[in-house]
Amino acid sequence: MTETLVSPMVEPADAPATKRLFIKTYGCQMNVYDSERMADVLRPLGYAPTDTPEGADFVILNTCHIREKAAEKVYSELGKLRLMKLDKAASGDGTMTIAVAGCVAQAEGEEIMRRQPAVDLVVGPQAYHQLPELLTRTARARGERIGADFAPHAKFDALSAPRAVSGVTAFLTVQEGCDKFCSFCVVPYTRGAEWSRPVADIVTEARRLADQGVREVTLLGQNVNAYDGIGPDGAPSTLARLASALADIPGLDRIRYTTSHPNDMSDDLIAAHGELDALMPYLHLPVQSGSDRILRLMNRKHGRARYIDLIGRIRQARPDMAISGDFIVGFPGETDRDFEDTLDLVRTVGYASAFSFMYSPRPGTPASTMGTQVPDEVSRARLHALQALLTEQQVAFNAAQAGRTLDVLFEKVGRHGHQAIGRSPYLQSVHVEDADHLIGRIVPVRILSGAQNSLAGTLAAGAGDHPVASRVRPSTSDAPRAER
């Protein structure tokens, strides 16, 4: 789980900022995108983002329901906000409206209102566009729950106004929902069925982002490579064709996407990685387990052999592809042999990075009622062993970048002197001294060393003389991978 604060954005001249808005985001990148859009729809009402909840007029917790601890952390945060709300009212400084948005709101709306009466609004992930309407009613509508149904098309129709962004990278939601029904996952119940935005709408939003200086977009979806939005010809498109259309937008030099499902990794998308230089050589492709028996219990609908073969085909199309993944340990019924199969798959594939978690039962999912739950102490030991192997691979992948020259998109100023921080094509954080004047530009950087979480580099000869780096991919002759 991650927690992200929505960064302050430039206020339109016709929307004077008179009220303070604080949004705290839990979970995935799609929630980050949703939080940015909530700030957008509230801006015309005079709400300006602030970086602290103290004294805020409106506080939104945009929640994630993937893991049990994430949901419980929301309730803990609500307890603190309740005290702030009482203090604000007692001081005569107006009122604080508290809203819970996102997947916990969708799944536990009534429970939220019961457990924490200080909450004024509960808003599901497909209905946050209704916040202005709700807030402008004469009554505060306390206790009203919206977003109990799934209508993503209505949400995006209401979000047609340009986004206000700061920075050179941006998230762009293109698909929502999931039809896979993995036995451990709540997403089909909190986000609904798969639905894709039309190509034209996405291209329009991407052009607006590019016009504001965005150089890289990450296309988001619960099952992003299942994208099938209507194309210009009136027929369903694919993620590969969408990426090709976005690559033609002037100024938009980099395209990424997440999160993918192995069953939706189509031939044309694999080919696109070898044909589109704008499509970055980094792929997050969760597998969850290396055991065929556990994969069947998870209802993943693919086996380890299919996944490994898929990775081989992807690397054949793009030899320098960096692979990331997701893993769950301690799934109900997982044996020592099953876990060893997972370790063996990790050694076979070689990951540049990965996320790994202990299984967390979510109410209403089939896995939560399976009788063979793994003891916590066993799951913790397995998680420690898996993470040690994944960390070893990540360190090796980063260390292998030393001596290479990579195009880096500089995003922000670093902590020290004139340091700048950017991203490599493989999504690694890159720290470079005397480069703060290059924010927003893509320049070649000679990598000096690699640590677990970042790279250190120096500007390549003449790097500062070029306003834009060409879309020439790095040489793949010495392209590193994680240890196999």
Side-chain angles (χ1 to χ4, degrees):
M1 181 193 72
T2 60
E3 299 177 20
T4 307
L5 306 184
V6 173
S7 58
M9 299 178 184
V10 177
E11 295 296 318
D14 58 349
T18 59
K19 291 169 282 190
R20 292 159 292 182
L21 169 68
F22 176 80
I23 304 178
K24 188 168 186 176
T25 308
Y26 299 80
C28 66
Q29 296 97 326
M30 290 191 70
N31 272 11
V32 175
Y33 174 89
D34 287 346
S35 292
E36 292 174 349
R37 299 317 307 262
M38 280 188 266
D40 287 340
V41 300
L42 292 169
R43 186 172 295 104
L45 300 185
Y47 285 96
T50 181
D51 59 4
T52 176
E54 286 81 6
D57 300 290
F58 192 12
V59 175
I60 302 174
L61 301 184
N62 192 12
T63 61
C64 173
H65 203 257
I66 293 297
R67 303 175 67 219
E68 183 178 10
K69 289 184 179 179
E72 287 303 316
K73 197 162 187 178
V74 171
Y75 287 111
S76 175
E77 191 72 21
L78 286 173
K80 300 173 185 177
L81 291 174
R82 172 182 171 273
L83 298 178
M84 294 182 195
K85 181 173 184 172
L86 293 173
D87 288 345
K88 184 175 174 68
S91 68
D93 189 28
T95 60
M96 174 187 287
T97 300
I98 299 175
V100 179
C103 292
V104 173
Q106 185 71 38
E108 303 183 19
E110 291 79 6
E111 178 69 3
I112 292 169
M113 306 304 300
R114 185 190 68 80
R115 288 182 60 173
Q116 186 48 264
V119 174
D120 298 286
L121 307 172
V122 180
V123 185
Q126 306 298 6
Y128 60 75
H129 60 290
Q130 298 178 35
L131 282 170
E133 174 188 350
L134 191 62
L135 287 172
T136 52
R137 292 177 183 172
T138 52
R140 294 299 274 175
R142 186 192 173 284
E144 179 169 346
R145 182 183 184 211
I146 63 175
D149 56 351
F150 299 108
H153 60 281
K155 176 178 72 176
F156 284 106
D157 287 346
L159 297 176
S160 58
R163 293 166 57 185
V165 297
S166 59
V168 296
T169 65
F171 294 126
L172 177 52
T173 293
V174 302
Q175 182 271 344
E176 291 202 3
C178 183
D179 295 342
K180 298 298 185 288
F181 287 92
C182 296
S183 63
F184 55 83
C185 187
V186 297
V187 167
Y189 312 103
T190 59
R191 289 274 184 171
E194 291 177 357
W195 178 85
S196 299
R197 298 175 64 189
V199 171
D201 292 356
I202 297 168
V203 170
T204 295
E205 185 171 349
R207 288 187 183 278
R208 289 170 174 170
L209 292 172
D211 289 343
Q212 295 180 72
V214 169
R215 305 291 305 279
E216 174 182 299
V217 294
T218 300
L219 310 181
L220 300 179
Q222 270 85 32
N223 244 13
V224 68
N225 57 340
Y227 175 83
D228 64 353
I230 298 301
D233 59 356
S237 182
T238 65
L239 187 63
R241 289 199 288 271
L242 173 63
S244 180
L246 296 176
D248 289 335
I249 296 176
L252 195 60
D253 292 293
R254 290 183 165 189
I255 300 169
R256 305 183 189 272
Y257 61 89
T258 195
T259 289
S260 304
H261 193 287
N263 290 353
D264 293 315
M265 202 68 200
S266 60
D267 290 343
D268 71 330
L269 184 55
I270 294 173
H273 277 287
E275 298 166 355
L276 290 178
D277 291 327
L279 198 55
M280 291 293 96
Y282 176 91
L283 176 62
H284 185 65
L285 193 64
V287 64
Q288 307 300 358
S289 175
S291 162
D292 281 332
R293 192 178 71 86
I294 295 300
L295 289 171
R296 286 192 295 271
L297 290 174
M298 288 179 168
N299 195 35
R300 289 290 289 174
K301 300 183 176 70
H302 65 79
R304 62 177 283 132
R306 180 177 177 182
Y307 181 85
I308 292 171
D309 177 71
L310 184 60
I311 296 297
R313 293 172 56 208
I314 293 167
R315 283 178 167 153
Q316 184 176 11
R318 184 76 195 249
D320 65 326
M321 180 69 75
I323 302 295
S324 174
D326 285 351
F327 295 89
I328 296 173
V329 301
F331 188 81
E334 183 187 66
T335 65
D336 288 342
R337 174 58 186 272
D338 294 322
F339 179 64
E340 285 299 323
D341 286 344
T342 294
L343 295 179
D344 180 70
L345 181 140
V346 171
R347 297 186 189 103
T348 299
V349 171
Y351 288 89
S353 64
F355 302 95
S356 53
F357 310 93
M358 282 176 52
Y359 169 72
S360 176
R362 307 309 299 131
T365 61
S368 67
T369 61
M370 292 180 180
T372 51
Q373 302 290 323
V374 177
D376 281 354
E377 60 271 19
V378 174
S379 294
R380 289 193 192 95
R382 291 175 182 170
L383 182 64
H384 178 76
L386 174 62
Q387 289 181 339
L389 176 58
L390 291 170
T391 298
E392 178 185 337
Q393 292 189 346
Q394 181 172 334
V395 169
F397 181 83
N398 287 350
Q401 309 299 323
R404 303 183 71 204
T405 297
L406 302 177
D407 285 343
V408 172
L409 171 58
F410 285 109
E411 300 177 4
K412 59 184 178 181
V413 175
R415 295 180 179 179
H416 310 294
H418 296 286
Q419 184 186 70
I421 301 174
R423 293 284 177 181
S424 77
Y426 311 112
L427 202 59
Q428 299 142 310
S429 179
V430 184
H431 299 251
V432 180
E433 303 300 327
D434 299 319
D436 57 334
H437 60 293
L438 296 173
I439 303 301
R441 292 166 61 178
I442 302 173
V443 297
V445 170
R446 184 73 173 172
I447 304 302
L448 302 176
S449 63
Q452 178 178 346
N453 297 312
S454 64
L455 309 178
T458 186
L459 295 177
D465 300 330
H466 302 286
V468 180
S470 62
R471 288 181 178 173
V472 177
R473 65 182 59 187
S475 170
T476 59
S477 60
D478 62 344
R481 308 182 174 177
E483 289 298 316
R484 301 292 293 275

